[in-house]
Amino acid sequence: MVNVDLGDRSYPIIIKDGALGTIGAHLKKLGLKGRAALVTNRRVGALYAQTVIASLSEAGLDPFVITLPDGEGYKTLECAQRIYDGLIRHRMERTSPVVALGGGVIGDMAGFAAATFLRGVPYIQAPTTLLAQVDSSVGGKTGVNHPRGKNLIGAFHQPKAVFIDPLVLKTLAPRQLRAGLAEVIKYGVIVDEGFFAYLEANVERLLTPGSGPLAKAIERSCRIKAGVVSADEREGGLRAILNFGHTFGHAIETGAGYGRYLHGEAVAVGMCMVAGFSAELGLCPEPDAARIIALVEACGLPARARDIPVGVVMRSLRLDKKVASGAIRFILSTGIGGVVMRKVDERDISRFYRRFMRSGRS
Amino acid sequence: MVNVDLGDRSYPIIIKDGALGTIGAHLKKLGLKGRAALVTNRRVGALYAQTVIASLSEAGLDPFVITLPDGEGYKTLECAQRIYDGLIRHRMERTSPVVALGGGVIGDMAGFAAATFLRGVPYIQAPTTLLAQVDSSVGGKTGVNHPRGKNLIGAFHQPKAVFIDPLVLKTLAPRQLRAGLAEVIKYGVIVDEGFFAYLEANVERLLTPGSGPLAKAIERSCRIKAGVVSADEREGGLRAILNFGHTFGHAIETGAGYGRYLHGEAVAVGMCMVAGFSAELGLCPEPDAARIIALVEACGLPARARDIPVGVVMRSLRLDKKVASGAIRFILSTGIGGVVMRKVDERDISRFYRRFMRSGRS
């Protein structure tokens, strides 16, 4: 178990095989009773809703299911409205919990609905993708997309508990599993060289759902994220280090058009680019940058996005308002396990990008 | 000036003639700069937007206006979406303030948008109705209505400052002014007999916008509400006393169909009913109940809703989920200046309602 330490908003992250079947008992211990909304999508719901429903019912709660369409395209205010409709139709009260069972889209959207229904009701996360388990389910960021940008509408609303069942990853598409590993690698890169070395030594088993090393990597990732979030709940400072690789990553993701690269894949590319860039600036030892790129590639993730021309990336960075007075604020690597925030000249970035795209094995 | 004491979320309520023209200077002092969104409706905007815009511009901010339709019927997620669209189109950032200029509908909706845009941006209230000045602009409750009920979607989001200009009441419809006085009277009834006596002694001038006693009544009301909110920000206990008269009031409001009674009018009826009921239960001295009813009537407000049959009221109370196991939780009067929370048998209420409707002068 990992604890997210936020005073009276603290909560546990329960990581263990079969965790989904223990949700009801935990909620009962938290004093939650009456109606409980299980928000999920069709695919995940077909696989795991019954387990959670049974657990809630056994604990004396009165559950019902709200099923939403699957995919980032549905992370909208309109779908949040469908959650509100369900909560009202089923007579949810201020003390009734909302349980999010699914990936980041379900978690973010159900969390936003929980944050804003009756000015806030209890909220439980049961993330079923690796990305959601190690990243979006921890930290209280909730929200929906706006046609003009991702997560523009949202709220900070910490869950009462997070239930991570590593066994659910057995039904996750391999590409999604690999994408989640990008964020796992990130934690090693930004603050924990020992963890990074552990990942290097266990690449094979990280790609195997149900393995001990994968479960251990999830726990370590949650512990690191929990530490950062505890120190900076509302992203006033430290929390920015979690965006390592994300500035380039978002530029790649939007530049390519959403859907072409998975978020984790774009972050993988972004991390490799920042590592290379940090090395070029003399901040990061060359061998460390090489190890980052090698681990990314060993996990079957892209290290470069050769199909995205420099102009597209630079335009995305500008649209993203990351550029101020010709400079961009980057989280750079000082070697595996360390980062530093630095403003970088826009022209240096485009020059570097061209060189980096031409380098590498393939 | 009244201070709402909430630790690092504390804020001032500036009450003075011409306060609207001082908003810019205050925001500058708070360190806010760049773009500023002024959210208002057509009617209020035509009268006062220029004053606020000029004040913001003089202080070096870069304001723009978002104009919404007027009326409770527009307090919806769809209108909140129009605010988001405007904020995005005008490139608002996380530190850009949203200024709500209008009555409770504008304040609640702009506040909700500010609470949820980029997970929360600074928010300023400039209430232009008496009801908003003494009630909804203080305390951080924001929200929109759902087709199935009022304020079902919302968030707690405290403003950075509230600017109350008593002179704007000169352009408020007299009926709206009277409706606002219902909440003013409420503060006297629940915690301050001295204030209640002051209101009794100054009825005439309370009905005169621009008068000293009205400004004084606004300040005293804000001070009382600020004290209650400081003690119980998220309505865990004490804050419930602010709902005095509102249980019956809501039942009248919905029973009659929204729009027939203004919120303040329904609250006036509700207060008189609870006062009478409290007297019948022996909790409130008869003369105190009579004084409450007399002050309500002296302010030109209804003390009874003879057109609403008991069946309609009881059904509204049940739909409102105020009834649990045949009992309803009421804030009752123990005499002017005091309240007590008590569960009351549903049947006692319907019996009382019938008698009360038949009593009285008219």
Side-chain angles (χ1 to χ4, degrees), chain A residues 307-327:
Chain A
D307 49 343
I308 319 284
V310 64
V312 170
V313 167
M314 298 312 293
R315 201 181 50 207
S316 292
L317 287 173
R318 275 185 219 110
L319 275 179
D320 208 16
K321 286 192 288 173
K322 290 279 162 46
V323 183
S325 328

Side-chain angles (χ1 to χ4, degrees), chain B residues 75 81 117 151 173 214 303:
Chain B
K75 200 174 120 179
Q81 177 93 54
F117 182 63
N151 296 316
L214 180 54

Side-chain angles (χ1 to χ4, degrees), chain A residues 56-328:
Chain A
L56 292 168
S57 299
E58 267 165 42
L61 287 115
D62 181 12
F64 62 95
V65 181
I66 297 174
T67 305
L68 299 173
D70 191 9
E72 183 83 28
Y74 294 100
K75 199 173 118 179
T76 61
L77 213 50
E78 288 68 39
C79 276
Q81 176 95 52
R82 287 175 57 175
I83 303 180
Y84 297 134
D85 294 346
L87 299 180
I88 291 166
R89 201 168 49 245
H90 290 94
R91 304 192 162 270
M92 287 277 284
E93 298 182 6
R94 221 193 264 191
T95 52
S96 313
V98 171
V99 182
L101 174 71
V105 169
I106 289 292
D108 285 6
M109 201 157 41
F112 180 68
T116 52
F117 182 63
L118 303 178
R119 297 198 188 91
V121 299
Y123 166 48
I124 309 295
Q125 289 262 28
T128 59
T129 64
L130 180 57
L131 190 73
Q133 291 181 342
V134 299
D135 184 15
S136 60
S137 70
V138 178
K141 282 190 180 179
T142 72
V144 297
N145 299 332
H146 184 275
R148 296 279 289 270
K150 286 176 79 172
N151 296 317
L152 291 180
I153 302 161
F156 282 97
H157 189 56
Q158 300 294 344
K160 295 285 177 209
V162 181
F163 294 85
I164 296 179
D165 190 339
L167 293 182
V168 302
L169 302 180
K170 290 191 171 192
T171 54
L172 186 67
R175 185 181 170 191
Q176 295 280 355
L177 184 76
R178 288 195 300 271
L181 284 175
E183 297 282 354
V184 172
I185 295 169
K186 182 193 75 181
Y187 292 117
V189 173
I190 61 175
V191 293
D192 192 339
E193 186 176 8
F195 181 45
F196 188 89
Y198 177 82
L199 297 175
E200 288 179 314
N202 290 278
V203 167
E204 200 90 337
R205 295 168 72 200
L206 291 178
L207 294 163
T208 313
S211 76
L214 180 55
K216 195 174 159 185
I218 293 169
E219 170 148 6
R220 186 84 199 126
S221 297
C222 287
R223 201 172 292 280
I224 293 170
K225 177 146 189 190
V228 174
V229 167
S230 296
D232 176 24
E233 184 178 4
R234 287 184 164 246
E235 205 161 17
L238 181 66
R239 200 161 167 165
I241 70 171
L242 298 175
N243 291 327
F244 181 81
H246 283 61
T247 301
F248 270 134
H250 282 304
I252 297 289
E253 208 175 346
T254 53
Y258 280 114
R260 175 100 156 273
Y261 286 86
L262 294 177
H263 175 71
E265 291 168 348
V267 168
V269 171
M271 285 196 295
C272 292
M273 285 170 63
V274 176
F277 191 49
S278 303
E280 194 174 89
L281 292 173
L283 285 166
C284 173
E286 288 280 1
D288 283 24
R291 278 173 71 192
I292 293 169
I293 294 170
L295 181 55
V296 161
E297 291 183 329
C299 288
L301 286 162
R304 288 170 182 75
R306 292 186 204 276
D307 49 343
I308 319 284
V310 64
V312 170
V313 167
M314 298 312 293
R315 201 181 50 207
S316 292
L317 287 173
R318 275 185 219 110
L319 275 179
D320 208 16
K321 286 192 288 173
K322 290 279 162 46
V323 183
S325 328
I328 299 183

Side-chain angles (χ1 to χ4, degrees), chain B residues 65-357:
Chain B
V65 181
I66 297 174
T67 304
L68 300 173
D70 192 9
E72 183 83 27
Y74 295 100
K75 200 174 120 179
T76 61
L77 212 50
E78 288 69 38
C79 276
Q81 177 93 54
R82 287 174 57 174
I83 303 180
Y84 296 135
D85 293 346
L87 299 181
I88 291 166
R89 199 168 49 245
H90 290 93
R91 303 190 163 271
M92 288 276 283
E93 299 181 5
R94 220 193 264 191
T95 52
S96 312
V98 171
V99 182
L101 174 71
V105 169
I106 288 292
D108 285 5
M109 201 158 40
F112 180 68
T116 52
F117 182 63
L118 304 178
R119 298 197 186 93
V121 299
Y123 166 49
I124 309 295
Q125 289 261 26
T128 59
T129 66
L130 181 57
L131 190 73
Q133 290 181 343
V134 299
D135 184 15
S136 60
S137 71
V138 178
K141 282 190 179 179
T142 72
V144 297
N145 299 332
H146 183 275
R148 296 281 288 271
K150 286 176 80 171
N151 296 316
L152 291 180
I153 301 160
F156 283 97
H157 189 56
Q158 300 293 345
K160 296 284 176 209
V162 181
F163 295 85
I164 296 179
D165 190 338
L167 292 183
V168 301
L169 301 180
K170 289 191 173 191
T171 54
L172 186 67
R175 185 181 171 191
Q176 295 280 354
L177 185 75
R178 288 195 300 269
L181 283 175
E183 298 282 355
V184 173
I185 295 169
K186 180 192 77 181
Y187 292 117
V189 173
I190 60 175
V191 293
D192 192 338
E193 185 174 10
F195 180 45
F196 188 90
Y198 177 83
L199 298 175
E200 287 179 314
N202 290 278
V203 167
E204 201 92 337
R205 296 169 72 202
L206 291 178
L207 294 163
T208 313
S211 76
L214 180 54
K216 194 172 160 186
I218 294 169
E219 170 148 6
R220 186 84 201 125
S221 298
C222 287
R223 201 171 291 281
I224 292 170
K225 177 145 190 193
V228 173
V229 167
S230 295
D232 176 24
E233 185 178 4
R234 288 187 163 244
E235 205 161 18
L238 180 67
R239 200 162 166 165
I241 70 171
L242 298 175
N243 291 327
F244 180 81
H246 283 60
T247 301
F248 270 133
H250 282 304
I252 297 289
E253 209 175 345
T254 54
Y258 279 114
R260 175 98 156 273
Y261 286 87
L262 294 177
H263 175 71
E265 291 168 348
V267 167
V269 172
M271 285 197 295
C272 292
M273 284 170 63
V274 177
F277 191 49
S278 304
E280 195 174 85
L281 292 173
L283 284 167
C284 173
E286 288 279 1
D288 283 24
R291 278 174 72 192
I292 293 169
I293 294 171
L295 181 55
V296 160
E297 291 184 330
C299 288
L301 286 162
R304 289 171 181 75
R306 291 185 204 278
D307 49 344
I308 319 282
V310 64
V312 170
V313 168
M314 297 312 292
R315 201 182 51 205
S316 291
L317 287 174
R318 273 184 222 111
L319 275 179
D320 208 16
K321 286 193 289 175
K322 290 280 163 42
V323 183
S325 327
I328 299 182
R329 194 185 290 269
F330 264 99
I331 312 290
L332 298 170
S333 173
T334 57
I336 291 164
V339 285
V340 67
M341 170 109 63
R342 190 70 67 87
K343 274 192 182 167
V344 180
D345 193 288
E346 193 179 354
R347 286 161 306 183
D348 291 340
I349 293 166
S350 60
R351 272 194 292 266
F352 165 75
Y353 186 88
R354 278 199 196 87
R355 273 196 305 280
F356 186 73
M357 283 300 120

